Amino acid sequence: MRSSLRGAGAAAAATALVLVVAGSWFGYQQLAGPSCSGKIQLSLAAAPEIAPAVKGAADQWVADGAAVGGTCIAVNVTSAEAVDVAAAVASKHGATLAGVGQASGTAVTPDVWVPDSSTWLLRLKSGGATAFAPANGASIARSPVVVAVPEPVATRFGWPNKKLSWTDMLRQVTSDKPLRAGIVEPTQDAAGLSGLMSLTAAASNTGNAGTDSSEAMVGALRALATNRSSLRQDLLARFPRSSDPTAIANGLGAAALSEEDVIAYNNTKPPIPLAALYLEPAPMPLDYPFAVLPGIEPAKASAAKVLFELLTTPGFKNRLAAQSLRSPDGNWGDGFKAPQGAPSPANGGASAVPPIGQGGAADLDPIAIQKVTSTWSVATQSGRMLCVIDVSGSMKQPVATANGASREQVTVEAANKGLALFDDSWSIGLWTFSTNLVGSQDYRKMVKIAPLSGNRRALQQGLASIKPSSGNTGLYDTLLAAYKEVQEDWEPGKVNSIVLFTDGKNEDDNGITQKQLIDQLKKIRDPEQPVQVIIIGIGSDVSRAELTPITEVTGGRPFVTVDPSKIGEIFLQAIALRPPAPR
C-alpha cells in the first residue's frame, strides 16, 4: 500500500546486483555465466507498492547467476513516491507542475522511473519540460481507481450488487446532507487526480441544455477540499475506526483510492473494512509505466531494456499479485484477492480497468489533465490578488473563435468564471487601464482589494461595467502603480499577486520605459514580502520578449495565447502558478 500501512521493508530502498546483455531476456538466459567483472550502476525509482515486486524479480535474476561478456550491471531499486521524483525531474528540466512544489535538496533523478501513473510523464511534458522524452513508458502493472467507502455506508448504496455511477457519487457529496468525501491532493496523487477527473466530468454533464454546469463543478471541488490531505495515510486515518453509528457518521465517508490501497487497508483488519466501489464510467487506472529517463548512457539503456523484458514475463504477474496489483491487461496472478464486487476481465468486467495503450501517456488527454489540476489549485488555495484588465481600443476587436464576441468580452467572461472558483477567503481587487483613462492617469481603480466575503458583488458589478476605451496601452505606468498598491497592504500567509490582461505592447509615449519599470521593480521589491506578477497576453500583437523580463523580476511569468477564446484556460493556468513551498 502506498502509505505508512505498508511494511517497513516494502518502503525501504533495495539494492540488487543484476547482469544484463543488450538483447532479450531469453538471450540473457542462454548466455548467463558464473562470474563477471566491472560494474555499471543503473538506478531505478519505483512507486512504493510495486518496488518489492521489482526487487524480487531482480533478486531472482541475480540468483540465477547472470553474467555476459564479463560485465556486471548493478541495479539500485529505490522505493520513492511519484510526487517526489516528479519534483526532482521538473527541477532538472525546468517544468512547472501545479501543486507539486520544489524538489528536496537531496533528490536525484533516476535512470529508470516506475511511477504509479503515466499522468506524471504527461504533466511533466505539458508543464514545460520540452526536452523530457523518456523511452519506453509501457505499463508493467495495473490497479483500478475505486471509491473507498466504509462497508456500512456502502451497503446503503446497494453495494456490492448495485451498479453505481459517478453521477450517483456527485449527488451524494453535494446534497443537502452530503456524504463526507475526501481526497489526497490530486496535484500530488495520481489516484486522487483520476477520481477528481471522473467527478468533475460528471459535474460537467449535470447541466441541462443552455445551462452552465460550473456551479455543480465548484460544489464538487469544495466538498472534496474540505477533507483533503497531502498524505494518503492521513486520509486513511479519517475513516471510522468504530462500529458506533456516531463514529461512522462523523468519519470519512468516501475517497478515491487505488484498488491496491483498499486491499492493503483491509489486510490490517480494521474495525470497519472499506468497500471498493467500481463506479462507471471507469476512471483512469494506475498503470505503472516503465520510463527510461533521457540522457542515460547506451550501456545503461541496454540494461534497462532487458530489465523491462524481465518485468513483463508471466512470473512477474504472480509477484504483482503478492502486492495486490494486477498485470497490465487487468488480469491478476496467483494469490490475488480481489475486493468484494470487483469485476474481473475474465468475467466480462474489463470496464473496471479501461485500457491505456502501450504508449501510456500518449493515450491520455493533456488538456483535460492540465485543466483539472489548475482548476483544483485555484478552487482550493487562498490568495490576495489585484486583477488589472486592458480596456484599450484594440480590445474591441471581434474574436472569430468566440462567435464574434470582442476581446474585452471574452476576457471579462474568463474573469467572471475565475471569480466563481475563488472562495470567500480570497481578497481581490479590480483595475482597468488604457492611456489617459482618468485625466493623464492610465489606470482606473474600480474595486479596492478586500475579502470576497464582502467584495464579491462589487467585483461582479465592476466586471459587468467594463467597456473598451479609445485609448492605447499604458502598460508600464499601470504595472508599476499596481505593484505598489499590492505591496502597500501586503498580507502574510497568502500569495500576493497581480494578474494583468493585455492585448498589446506598451504604447504610452508619455510614460516610463521598460528599463525604468524593471529598475523601479528591482528597487522596491522586498524578498520578505514578494508580489507575484502574472501577465496574460491576448492575441498576436503581444510580445512575450517584452513581458518576460518584467515577470522574471517579480517571480511570475507571462502567458500568451494567440487565440483569445482560450483565455479562460490560460487564466486558470496562470492563477495556479503559485510560488511552491519547499518539499
Side-chain angles (χ1 to χ4, degrees), residues 181-205:
I183 193 170
V184 186
E185 285 285 353
T187 55
Q188 301 180 17
D189 183 83
L193 173 60
S194 177
L196 181 65
M197 291 186 70
S198 290
L199 194 67
T200 55
S204 69
N205 294 326

Side-chain angles (χ1 to χ4, degrees), residues 78 112 124 149 339 357 391 406 418 472 481 490 553:
T78 304
V112 180
L124 283 161
V149 178
V391 293
S406 69
N472 294 321
W490 190 91
V553 173

